[in-house]
């Protein structure tokens, strides 16, 4: 074998190793978070998107959609507890609507409230639910709750129909690209409001805090279609270490409830709900944004 | 030229490109944050450490020590404002000690208080100050403040000597490896306490919140040498998007002040200090840790 052949083989092996070792990442425009010890264990191209599951030594299973990290078993608790328990502190709902959330994490938290009698979950892609049931053991049991009605359909279409149900709490837990776009149209928001009780609350997975963004999250909120159509709109935050930048904002919307009018007692305490991230003290603190994120 | 030579050259070029494009990162055990658009513009091997400065399209200049990202111009504001203004809300200091902080960011925030008459900064490595003065325009002016005495020496040695000054506020802003180790010995902490007034406060850059760590930050605090020697110890947080995981904790120590006894008014408001991240509302919220970080 010649020297050139040897060098060539070494070079090719080096390239392969560099590309093999790290195979899951969360990408923002400014920087990328790469997971050291993750291995892809599942890939499915559904009708709507590419669903992947990675197994990471430290973070557990990671769900990725179209190459974008959606959640890890390590920090999904932060996200789902905040998205659900913050809005739920202001209502005593019997009817709850979840749009998206096919992984089941939002559903798991909603199911913790014993007074709810009816939970409708509208998820466009059954393959997300399949992947989640198979790889995310912490979400599995929620799907078996008898109060849950699963609708595999486009939420845009679901909201058009009047099913005679007025929802007391709505949670939107969707990707912010592709098939979610129709949800954020004026028509869709208008239809959503027709399905909500007058004292209902809405929680939305809003946006990563991001880095060096041209607009603050508050400005994005004020300019958003949802922001324009609800009397009260506020952002609250969580740590999401596996997302690039590490911080995430959720949006709270309501026509009757200003979330800064905190309740005198919180369901998490009154009902002794089991949580790992959320507390009533954190609930209040989560609405306090750093000054630089507040400007309009 | 043969085919093999051609392939060899292409392979080598690919390796070079992969290694060139991304040249600054923040590494944790679990994941790495890589900056897309950064370019190294300065390298200096000092007596103590390797100092590098990167220029990033979105984040501005980035300071790295021994391959570990220390700060970016984009988010140093979060860090330095929280480290300084939180402890300062409980004292009206005339004498302030800064240990480390060679970049000058902590110094810049301390200098905002007009009643301080004497600021001693003890930094072991003059090359950090040199690099900072050259590349970080936002820190430069602080070094020219006439109230500042710069001591280029090991803080361990500085604390041994009695200079007759009792400090009202102390800020420790150091790397958590190598030459900082001697600072965290019982002897050093004991000497530090001898230099502090009885009603003094101490702010320490504590630790990244981290990911999948074996111990919570609160447990690390309770087991730390500082934690054992002060009556009051509390953690407070900031967003640091360029650090892996995105969240950081500072520690507050005092023998006389419990930081949860918030002042009735805050210097940032009373003195109309200019801040971009810190507010008195955020001050209070920053002490509320997520439940999972609190367990001992």
């Amino acid at each position: 074998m010649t020297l050139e052949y040897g060098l060539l083989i070494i070079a090719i092996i080096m390239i392969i190793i560099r590309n093999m070792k790290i195979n899951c990442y969360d990408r923002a425009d400014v920087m990328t978070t790469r997971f050291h010890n993750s291995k892809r264990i599942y890939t499915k191209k559904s009708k709507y998107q590419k669903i992947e599951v990675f197994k990471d030594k430290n973070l557990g299973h990671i769900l990725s959609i179209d190459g974008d990290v959606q959640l890890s078993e390590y920090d999904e608790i932060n996200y789902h507890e905040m998205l659900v328990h913050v809005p739920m502190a202001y209502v005593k709902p019997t009817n709850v609507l979840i749009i998206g959330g096919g992984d089941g994490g939002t559903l798991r938290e909603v199911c913790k409230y014993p007074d709810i009698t009816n939970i409708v979950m509208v998820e466009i892609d059954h393959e997300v639910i399949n992947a989640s049931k198979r790889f995310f053991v912490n979400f599995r049991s929620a799907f078996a709750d008898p109060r849950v009605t699963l609708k595999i359909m486009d939420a845009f279409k679901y909201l058009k129909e009047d099913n005679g149900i007025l929802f007391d709490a709505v949670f939107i837990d969707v990707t912010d690209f592709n098939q979610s776009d129709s949800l954020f149209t004026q028509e869709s928001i208008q239809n959503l409001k027709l399905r909500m009780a007058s004292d209902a609350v809405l929680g939305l997975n809003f946006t990563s805090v991001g880095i060096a963004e041209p607009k603050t999250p508050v400005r994005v909120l004020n300019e958003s279609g949802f922001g324009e159509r609800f009397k009260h709109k506020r952002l609250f935050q969580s740590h999401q270490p596996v997302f690039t930048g590490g911080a995430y904002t959720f949006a709270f919307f309501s026509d009757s409830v200003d979330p800064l009018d905190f309740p005198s007692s919180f369901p998490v305490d009154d009902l002794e709900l089991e949580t790992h991230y959320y507390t009533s003290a954190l609930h209040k603190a989560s609405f306090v944004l750093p000054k630089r994120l507040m400007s309009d």
Side-chain angles (χ1 to χ4, degrees), chain A:
Chain A
M1 189 191 276
T2 64
L3 176 65
E4 292 78 36
Y5 265 114
L7 284 172
L8 176 62
I9 289 165
I10 290 169
I12 290 170
I13 289 172
M14 279 179 69
I15 292 177
I16 291 171
I17 288 174
R18 274 195 77 95
N19 284 287
M20 259 178 56
K21 273 175 83 175
I22 299 162
N23 47 20
C24 182
Y25 57 84
D26 188 46
R27 178 176 290 277
D29 292 341
V30 178
M31 63 194 206
T32 300
T33 301
R34 282 178 181 273
F35 305 99
H36 295 176
N37 299 297
S38 74
K39 205 175 72 172
R40 181 167 36 221
I41 56 172
Y42 179 75
T43 307
K44 180 86 188 180
K45 288 210 179 189
S46 77
K47 192 176 156 192
Y48 302 100
Q49 52 209 353
K50 184 178 171 195
I51 300 158
E52 291 168 291
V53 178
F54 297 83
K55 184 175 184 170
D56 184 273
K57 198 181 133 195
N58 300 290
L59 304 169
H61 289 156
I62 295 170
L63 177 68
S64 169
I65 291 184
D66 287 344
D68 191 61
V69 166
Q70 300 297 301
L71 60 88
S72 81
E73 285 187 312
Y74 174 69
D75 72 344
E76 61 84 11
I77 292 162
N78 309 9
Y79 177 103
H80 292 120
E81 288 189 2
M82 291 303 282
L83 173 58
V84 171
H85 299 304
V86 169
M88 288 291 270
Y90 302 91
V91 283
K92 292 205 193 319
T94 50
N95 293 303
V96 172
L97 173 64
I98 299 171
I99 295 175
D103 52 73
T106 298
L107 184 60
R108 178 193 61 200
E109 296 305 318
V110 167
C111 287
K112 288 181 178 172
Y113 291 81
D115 290 345
I116 297 173
T117 54
N118 178 33
I119 304 167
V120 178
M121 179 162 145
V122 184
E123 164 64 50
I124 198 168
D125 192 349
H126 206 286
E127 291 297 349
V128 175
I129 296 173
N130 288 347
S132 187
K133 280 184 175 171
R134 183 164 160 198
F135 294 105
F136 293 84
V137 291
N138 290 333
F139 300 147
R140 238 175 245 167
S141 63
F143 290 104
D145 192 299
R147 297 170 295 174
V148 178
T149 305
L150 212 53
K151 302 263 183 190
I152 305 299
M153 64 186 294
D154 189 339
F156 179 76
K157 286 183 193 155
Y158 177 81
L159 294 172
K160 271 189 172 173
E161 301 162 22
D162 183 358
N163 296 291
I165 310 170
L166 279 182
F167 292 100
D168 308 299
V170 178
F171 300 97
I172 302 182
D173 182 10
V174 294
T175 55
D176 50 3
F177 45 82
N178 300 345
Q179 68 284 351
S180 302
D181 290 346
S182 64
L183 254 185
F184 297 97
T185 59
Q186 285 300 334
E187 183 186 352
S188 192
I189 297 168
Q190 199 168 338
N191 287 333
L192 172 62
K193 289 196 73 172
L194 293 174
R195 309 291 158 244
M196 290 171 70
S198 62
D199 56 353
V201 294
L202 166 62
L204 165 69
N205 68 327
F206 194 63
T207 183
S208 283
V209 168
I211 297 170
E213 299 283 353
K215 297 179 182 181
T216 68
V218 168
R219 182 151 172 212
V220 177
L221 176 71
N222 289 339
E223 292 177 355
S224 70
F226 283 96
E228 285 165 5
R229 296 195 70 93
F230 283 92
K231 186 175 169 199
H232 300 288
K233 48 182 183 283
R234 299 275 182 195
L235 295 181
F236 56 102
Q237 316 152 81
S238 71
H239 290 169
Q240 298 303 146
V242 307
F243 292 172
T244 299
Y248 196 82
T249 55
F250 303 92
F252 179 106
F253 300 103
S254 176
D255 278 336
S256 63
V257 177
D258 179 352
L260 297 190
D261 292 338
F262 298 120
S264 54
S265 73
F266 286 80
V268 66
D269 303 320
D270 298 343
L271 302 173
E272 296 178 11
L273 302 181
E274 192 192 350
T275 61
H276 303 279
Y277 182 85
Y278 173 87
T279 64
S280 48
L282 194 70
H283 178 125
K284 295 176 185 175
S286 72
F287 284 96
V288 183
L289 300 184
K291 192 174 179 183
R292 65 191 294 177
L293 297 186
M294 287 193 298
S295 60
D296 190 13

